Amino acid sequence: MAEPQRAGGDGVATLSDDASVVARILDHIEHHTTDVTESVWREPLENYRSEARLEAELACVLRRFSVPFCPSAALPEAGSFVARDAAGTPILAVRGKDGRARAFRNACRHRGAQIGSGEGCAKAFVCRYHGWTYDLDGALVHVPDAYGFPGLDRATRGLVPLETAERHGMVWVAQDARSSPGDASLDELPPLLPDGLRLLRATAQDVDANWKILAEGFLEGYHIRSTHRDTFYPVQFDNLNVVEGFGRNSRIAFPYRNVQKLRTVPADGRSARGVLTYVYHLFPNVMVATFPATMVMVALEPLRTDQTRLVTYVLADRGGEPSGLEGAQQFVQAGAAEDSAVACSIQRSLASGANEWFEFGHFEGAIQHFHRNLEQALGDESSAGRT
């Protein structure tokens, strides 16, 4: 199948500037069009229900690729930490005394108890089971009554590190040792979360839907009028998007109706701020969305074939509270709740027997891009396993 029109293939790392995106949006408004793909995609329903498929997605994709774990703003100072599960693995990310962000498997090297929980700031991590203590760099620094462990080599019993890199305002983690999050591919990504953001809140919500169903809801604007009639639709356009691919990732522009005020603004003076939302899909399971007052990072963490944990980080510029920030957050939350309700409805319908596959049409190119790359990643891993 062909790639979505105007969406780059795996080798493309650049995206259109704001002025070009706005020009395309204004042209779509004038001609009642939207970005389309030449292809359609049929995704078998079994891929949303199969335990074996989910295990393959976790092992061969979500744990293999470099994935954003948390925003850099969640680790603002030495000792700041975030502990949560990613792709089913307990992970602890912490800012070291040297300013470096590191990630570890969240398990004591004695009896395996988790040594960090939630978010916070610590001078060291003390296992609550027996008191084994680890420094911020993961080193084992204290063992109570150490004479009971003759021959214990502390140098080899620190927390187990994961490949970690900090780029574009996020901490990226790869659980598979074959991956290298510090390689040039991350450097080639476009700007995502700018410097100077502060974390307003972090939340986790379990939704009774497959992680891919939830991902699909972020990746098209064909549903705006039907799903968000009283929330997003009064301020946004239905089925009008600019869709671009960069590598396995995508960016979708959702314009607001006030974008038309830019028709009289010279091209070099046009900005996306306040006139559209960008949604970046960072393959495989992370979304970054821009709003006038905030930016949001969402990680979709599969729990079961029919349940996903949405880990959401809301960020804003440092300084005073932006005017109307609370109301703006409530507005976004209302729209997100509508998306979650539809996702749960889709999940329940999988058992109806009505469909053998989901049909993604010309307006849903970013979803096609997602499934095409997911299928390729699973296929590449399967082929590698046979060699």
Side-chain angles (χ1 to χ4, degrees):
M1 292 186 181
E3 287 291 300
Q5 288 182 356
R6 299 176 177 173
D10 286 352
V12 176
T14 58
L15 293 168
S16 301
D17 60 21
D18 285 357
S20 299
V21 171
V22 169
R24 284 165 61 177
I25 289 169
L26 294 176
D27 183 72
H28 281 320
I29 294 171
E30 182 177 354
H31 296 96
H32 304 284
T33 55
T34 187
D35 276 16
V36 296
T37 179
E38 295 177 349
S39 61
V40 296
W41 182 275
R42 289 179 171 178
E43 184 68 11
L45 257 65
E46 185 61 19
N47 287 346
Y48 300 87
R49 302 179 68 186
S50 167
E51 295 284 353
R53 169 71 180 231
L54 177 60
E55 285 303 314
E57 291 167 352
L58 289 168
C60 303
V61 183
L62 278 83
R63 294 178 189 139
R64 174 186 164 205
F65 286 84
S66 299
V67 178
F69 179 77
C70 67
S72 296
L75 306 177
E77 59 184 323
S80 298
F81 69 89
V82 173
R84 69 173 182 86
D85 290 2
T89 303
I91 294 175
L92 172 70
V94 59
R95 179 81 63 193
K97 297 172 185 175
D98 58 359
R100 178 181 166 190
R102 296 175 175 85
F104 306 94
R105 298 186 184 275
N106 189 7
C108 180
R109 299 302 305 282
H110 173 214
R111 298 270 293 279
Q114 294 186 24
I115 53 94
S117 178
E119 302 88 26
C121 193
K123 295 181 179 179
F125 295 98
V126 181
C127 179
R128 66 177 184 175
Y129 199 5
H130 298 96
W132 286 34
T133 303
Y134 303 86
D135 206 350
L136 300 181
D137 62 4
L140 178 62
V141 294
H142 176 65
V143 175
D145 298 327
Y147 67 87
F149 299 89
L152 175 68
D153 183 1
R154 291 185 189 177
T156 63
R157 299 296 289 277
L159 298 177
V160 176
L162 294 168
E163 292 289 334
T164 312
E166 194 166 10
R167 300 284 193 282
H168 315 293
M170 290 176 284
V171 177
W172 301 67
V173 175
Q175 300 183 37
D176 190 322
R178 292 171 295 174
S179 302
S180 180
D183 65 15
S185 62
L186 291 187
D187 294 326
E188 294 170 357
L189 292 175
L192 294 165
L193 296 179
D195 294 335
L197 295 179
R198 61 192 172 96
L199 182 65
L200 296 181
R201 74 171 189 275
T203 60
Q205 175 190 10
D206 294 350
V207 179
D208 293 332
N210 185 275
W211 73 279
K212 299 187 295 294
I213 293 174
L214 287 162
E216 292 157 3
F218 286 89
L219 301 180
E220 47 87 1
Y222 181 44
H223 71 286
I224 297 296
R225 176 162 45 190
S226 297
T227 302
H228 304 296
R229 181 171 296 276
D230 298 317
T231 52
F232 296 160
Y233 180 59
V235 297
Q236 291 185 346
F237 291 91
D238 179 60
N239 201 25
L240 196 165
N241 301 99
V242 171
V243 181
E244 299 174 280
F246 54 107
R248 293 184 172 91
N249 316 293
S250 296
R251 186 180 74 175
I252 305 93
F254 293 82
Y256 309 156
R257 296 182 186 273
N258 67 356
V259 71
Q260 301 211 61
K261 69 183 181 182
L262 297 183
R263 287 191 183 277
T264 58
V265 175
D268 59 2
R270 291 171 174 174
S271 168
R273 189 173 182 88
V275 299
L276 62 84
T277 283
Y278 283 129
V279 173
Y280 295 85
H281 174 211
L282 304 176
F283 185 85
N285 67 320
V286 172
M287 308 291 170
V288 172
T290 67
F291 297 100
T294 61
M295 297 190 72
V296 177
M297 172 184 155
V298 180
L300 306 174
E301 297 293 351
L303 301 178
R304 304 193 304 257
T305 58
D306 60 354
Q307 189 176 60
T308 303
R309 178 162 296 158
L310 273 70
V311 181
T312 303
Y313 301 92
V314 181
L315 306 111
D317 292 336
R318 291 179 183 154
E321 291 291 320
S323 176
L325 179 58
E326 186 62 31
Q329 291 185 72
Q330 292 175 359
F331 176 74
V332 173
Q333 290 168 10
E338 292 167 340
D339 283 323
S340 293
V342 169
C344 292
S345 172
I346 294 169
Q347 184 66 47
R348 292 192 296 271
S349 82
L350 296 182
S352 70
N355 298 300
E356 295 180 28
W357 56 76
F358 288 151
E359 185 107 12
F360 299 109
H362 297 303
F363 308 134
E364 298 162 317
I367 300 178
Q368 296 185 35
H369 190 62
F370 166 47
H371 283 293
R372 185 177 296 110
N373 281 286
L374 183 58
E375 185 175 276
Q376 179 182 348
L378 291 170
D380 288 348
E381 187 68 15
S382 176
S383 297
R386 290 195 297 268
T387 60

